[in-house]
Every structure is written in structure tokens, then in C-alpha cells.
Amino acid sequence: MTGENAPAWAREATERLGHWVSTLDVREVDDAVLERLGLVLLDTVGVTALGAALDEHRALRAAWDPPPGPAPLVGAGRCTTVDAAAWLNATALVSLELDEGNKYAKGHPAAHGFPAVLALAAQRDSSGADTAAALLAAYEVAARFGRATRLAPGAHPHGSWGVTGAAAGCARLLGLGPRECAAAIDTAAGMPIAGHFDSALDGNVVRDAWIGASNTSGLAAARLAAAGVARNTGTAALSLGTLLGEFDADELTADLAETWQLTRGYLKRHASCSFTHPAADAVLQLRAHGEIHDVRVEIHVLGAGLARTEWDNRLSAMFSIPFVVAVAALTGEVGPAAYAPEALTDERVRALARRVRVVAADDLTARLPDERAVRVTARYADGTSHTVEVPNPIGDADHHPLTEDDVVALLAAWLPERSPVPEHAVRLAHDLPALPRTGEALRALAGDEEVPECVPSR
């Protein structure tokens, strides 16, 4: 939607969205939606703890030296201030490419706002009902802005349209009215980051920092609205539209409260970019036929650029289809251990990756966005070949969705054996809407039974 009327249309749509956010009541939400929220919350918390255990995140926390506060650093054994927790938890969440995503939003709605909402809820000791409503608002608003935004070629979705979700969730948690919620969302739409997709391919962890910035910018936007200084002018049509791509404001409110974007997402079983997952799933089937010599991956245009056969760190490897395919073929899984230093330099993986060819296929591109399909052909050492076509990655809501048991099993395999985080996360996921207060339950996610109780500030 372009033209001189675009900001007015965006302002009106954001106004309707702000009213929906301010009046969202989990008592009126279907049980199936709340169950999905619990599953996404469980996955988000567990994956954040995985990221927090990485050496670089230990180093980052040491360099940051955050002060004590009421909000948990998930899996890190301590509590800190709201803003520090939102930023550090957000970057840990996305560092292993295991966080939930949504193909219709074209990115990761939960990561853009859940860390900010959870940190603020811990500070305020909010009720479970309000916290659940805020998480729903964060996801739905971010996903709708993702649907509404068509980023310019080369733009990465982290830190752009998703800032609006963090603002919506935090505004709902602060109890703001319709006008103020709309103002917070619109203000956030004027705070996007213009990140290039090649930063991820190059292995630059600024790509993770964009998610941290999204959460803290959303907090700032909600506070501006709470202070009465934010306005709704339809700025998304200018920032997300005119500058960063194209923007269709109608997508913000289409089927609002009837179709929940949360139920259309995907959970991950591979630690890699979602565009690599269908290829990995296909190769896991193909390896049963024998020793794979070379691979041809036909894929939609969105994934065709992930064809690099060289990498020098975990992030660049996670965005390489040849790397992911080679690891899947040789080891039978693509978990966090695939990115250990010795694994990244494994000459067997490098040799096979150089024999993986990635090509764009028009017929597969035509199936977007409902399918992110691949067609993979493996040629074996004996000269035979087999082909497997996969419509979506396993874990997609439309294709073998993961259950709570699946997520718990994955976390148990990846987290330290004695980590208390999964148990606390499962309990929170089940109990959240009914909790009278959330502060204690959220601070338990720090994962250390010796974390001192923090007094929330209201």
C-alpha cells in the first residue's frame, strides 16, 4: 500500500490493533490457542537457556556486568534489570537458530517480544492472565506486521517489523488504554533496524543483536506511550513501507481475533536457519539408502542464496545449506553439537559440502508462502540416486508439528543433565494463565535454586 494516503490507512489500522491489544482477555481465548502459547513459551525458555550456556554468552554477561534486579537471565543463574534481561535473553534465544518462527510472518515473532514481556512481568509481578495476554499480543502484533511488510531484497527480518510486537506486549502489561497501545505500536514501527541478510551469511553476530534491540526498543516505545508523549501517525507506512520495503496496512487487522497467527508457526529440531530444515529432513531420509557422494538441492528462491560452501563460525554455518546437508548426511542430526569447533573444521563435512549444489526452482517458489518445499536428489557411492521432496520442515504447524513431549525430549538431550530450567518452564507453560502472580515463577527460570528472591518494583 503506497501513496500519500498510506500513513492514514496505517494509522487507522494501528488504532484498531491498539484497541484489540488493550482489551485482550485470556478468559475469552480458546484453550487450543492457550495450549499453543504454552508450547511456544516452553520452547522459548528452553532455547534461551541453551544459548545462555554458550561460551560467548558467558563472556558477554561478564563484559556487560549487569546489576542485580528483578528479572531472570534465563539459564544463567542470576537476576538483573528489565532492560538488561530483555536484551541478553533475546540474543541468547536466537544464537542457536532454534527459536520458533512463522512462515507467514516471514520471521520470528516470539523472539521479537517475549523476552521483553517476561522481564517486565517479573519486575511487576504481574498476574498470569495479564502476562499471557501480553505474550499473545506480542506475538499476534509482530506476526501481523510481518505479514504486512514485504522487505526490500537483501533485508533481514530481525529487528524490523517485530519491534511492534514487543511494544504491544509491554503496553498490554502496563495496562495502557486503546489509544496508548496504538501509540506504542506505531512508535515501535518507527524504530526498526535495517539489517542486511548477508550479515548472517557472513557470520556477523550483529544479526543476534538486532533481536536484543527489538525487545529493548519495544520496551522504550511502551514507556513513551505510558508517559503520554507517543503518538499514532501511521509511521509504519513510511519506515517499513517507503524506506525498508512495502507495507499493506490491511494485513494488520484482517481476521483479527478470528485467526491466531500463533497457531500457524513452526518449532525447530535442527539448529540452523529454517530454510535449511526441509533439505536436512530429506537428507535424513536419503542417508538410509547408502553412503551419499553428492547432493542436489532444489529450493524456493528465498532459500537459494544459502549456498555457500565455506564458513568460519557457527552463525555462517547455520546459514549454509551445504553445511547442514553434509552434517545431516554424515551424522544423522543437526543439533548444537554440530557447531563445536572441531565439527566446524571437520574435513569430511567440508568435502561433502563442496559436493552439494543448491539451485532455485520456479515450481517450488510458486508454492510459497504455504509451503517452503525442497526437492533433494542424492547420488551414492555406487552410482545410484534417489530423490525426496519435502513440502515443509518437520515442526511446521502444517507438517508433523512438534508436541510438548518432543520439545522436552530435545531440550533434555541438549541441556546439561541436571538443568532445572525445563521443569520450571513446563510448569510455567501449564500454569501461566491461572497464576495470581508471576514474579517467583519467572525468576525460577534463571535455573539456579540459590538465586536470591528479588523484590519486584511496581
Side-chain angles (χ1 to χ4, degrees):
M1 186 177 294
T2 57
E4 61 182 15
N5 290 327
W9 292 326
R11 182 180 67 248
E12 292 171 5
T14 303
E15 183 178 343
R16 293 196 294 273
L17 203 55
H19 181 271
W20 177 81
V21 167
S22 70
T23 58
L24 179 58
D25 188 338
V26 294
R27 293 173 299 183
E28 300 173 358
V29 176
D30 289 345
D31 288 344
V33 176
L34 293 179
E35 288 176 10
R36 180 66 182 186
L37 174 64
L39 181 59
V40 173
L41 177 59
L42 164 63
D43 183 79
T44 297
V45 170
V47 171
T48 302
L50 280 168
L54 295 170
D55 288 342
E56 65 251 42
H57 277 279
R58 296 180 189 275
L60 178 58
R61 291 192 297 274
W64 193 297
D65 192 21
L73 287 175
V74 176
R78 58 187 295 192
C79 294
T80 186
T81 61
V82 171
D83 295 73
W87 204 98
L88 291 168
N89 285 334
T91 54
L93 169 60
V94 299
S95 60
L96 281 167
E97 262 297 301
L98 281 166
D99 56 298
E100 187 267 1
N102 187 301
K103 64 190 176 188
Y104 297 103
K106 306 178 288 290
H108 301 258
H112 279 91
F114 276 29
V117 169
L118 295 175
L120 186 60
Q123 179 199 43
R124 295 177 61 80
D125 201 17
S126 302
S127 72
D130 282 341
T131 303
L135 291 170
L136 281 171
Y139 193 101
E140 294 299 308
V141 170
R144 287 177 175 276
F145 270 87
R147 279 189 356 185
T149 304
R150 183 177 180 180
L151 292 172
H156 196 287
H158 274 17
S160 55
W161 45 259
V163 184
T164 58
C170 292
R172 173 63 180 79
L173 206 56
L174 291 173
L176 303 188
R179 179 174 296 182
E180 291 79 13
C181 284
I185 294 168
D186 187 68
T187 299
M191 303 170 76
I193 286 175
H196 200 286
F197 208 100
D198 279 4
S199 294
L201 303 182
D202 294 337
N204 191 327
V205 294
V206 69
R207 170 257 184 199
D208 299 344
W210 298 334
I211 291 291
S214 172
N215 281 269
T216 53
S217 291
L219 274 164
R223 289 163 176 158
L224 285 167
V229 297
R231 300 176 61 202
N232 173 20
T233 63
T235 197
L238 304 175
S239 57
L240 298 174
T242 303
L243 289 180
L244 296 184
E246 300 174 8
F247 186 76
D248 182 359
D250 289 342
E251 290 287 348
L252 298 184
T253 55
D255 299 322
L256 186 62
E258 297 176 10
T259 302
W260 291 87
Q261 307 308 304
L262 179 76
T263 64
R264 309 176 79 190
Y266 56 81
L267 300 174
K268 291 183 166 187
R269 64 172 186 154
H270 305 309
S272 59
C273 173
S274 65
F275 293 153
T276 72
H277 283 218
D281 292 340
V283 168
L284 290 178
Q285 297 180 48
L286 289 164
R287 70 192 299 267
H289 295 286
E291 181 183 349
I292 295 177
H293 180 268
D294 57 72
V295 181
R296 174 184 170 90
V297 178
E298 297 173 79
I299 193 170
H300 50 81
V301 68
L302 296 179
L306 278 62
R308 297 186 184 185
T309 57
E310 295 294 331
W311 52 85
D312 60 10
N313 71 349
R314 183 184 66 249
L315 181 58
S316 57
M318 290 192 300
F319 279 79
S320 164
I321 289 175
F323 173 85
V324 172
V325 164
V327 169
L330 291 169
T331 71
E333 62 177 338
V334 190
Y339 304 95
E342 62 274 14
L344 290 174
T345 57
D346 188 332
E347 186 51 40
R348 296 182 311 143
V349 173
R350 289 189 175 274
L352 181 52
R354 288 191 288 268
R355 300 194 298 272
V356 175
R357 184 184 177 199
V358 181
V359 296
D362 291 342
D363 65 316
L364 300 181
T365 297
R367 290 155 66 174
L368 293 169
D370 293 325
E371 293 186 7
R372 288 183 170 180
V374 298
R375 191 163 44 245
V376 179
T377 301
R379 189 164 64 92
Y380 300 89
D382 62 4
T384 61
S385 64
H386 289 276
T387 299
V388 168
E389 186 171 302
V390 176
N392 274 304
I394 290 175
D396 190 283
D398 297 326
H399 186 66
H400 302 293
L402 300 184
T403 66
E404 179 181 296
D405 287 344
D406 294 328
V407 172
V408 170
L410 288 170
L411 294 175
W414 293 334
L415 283 167
E417 183 178 353
R418 302 179 69 177
S419 172
V421 172
E423 180 182 349
H424 290 309
V426 168
R427 187 179 301 120
L428 178 67
H430 289 173
D431 298 345
L432 180 62
L435 288 177
R437 297 294 176 200
T438 58
E440 183 179 352
L442 290 172
R443 283 186 285 276
L445 300 178
D448 188 335
E449 302 298 343
E450 300 302 319
V451 172
E453 184 175 356
C454 305
V455 179
S457 57
R458 297 297 300 272

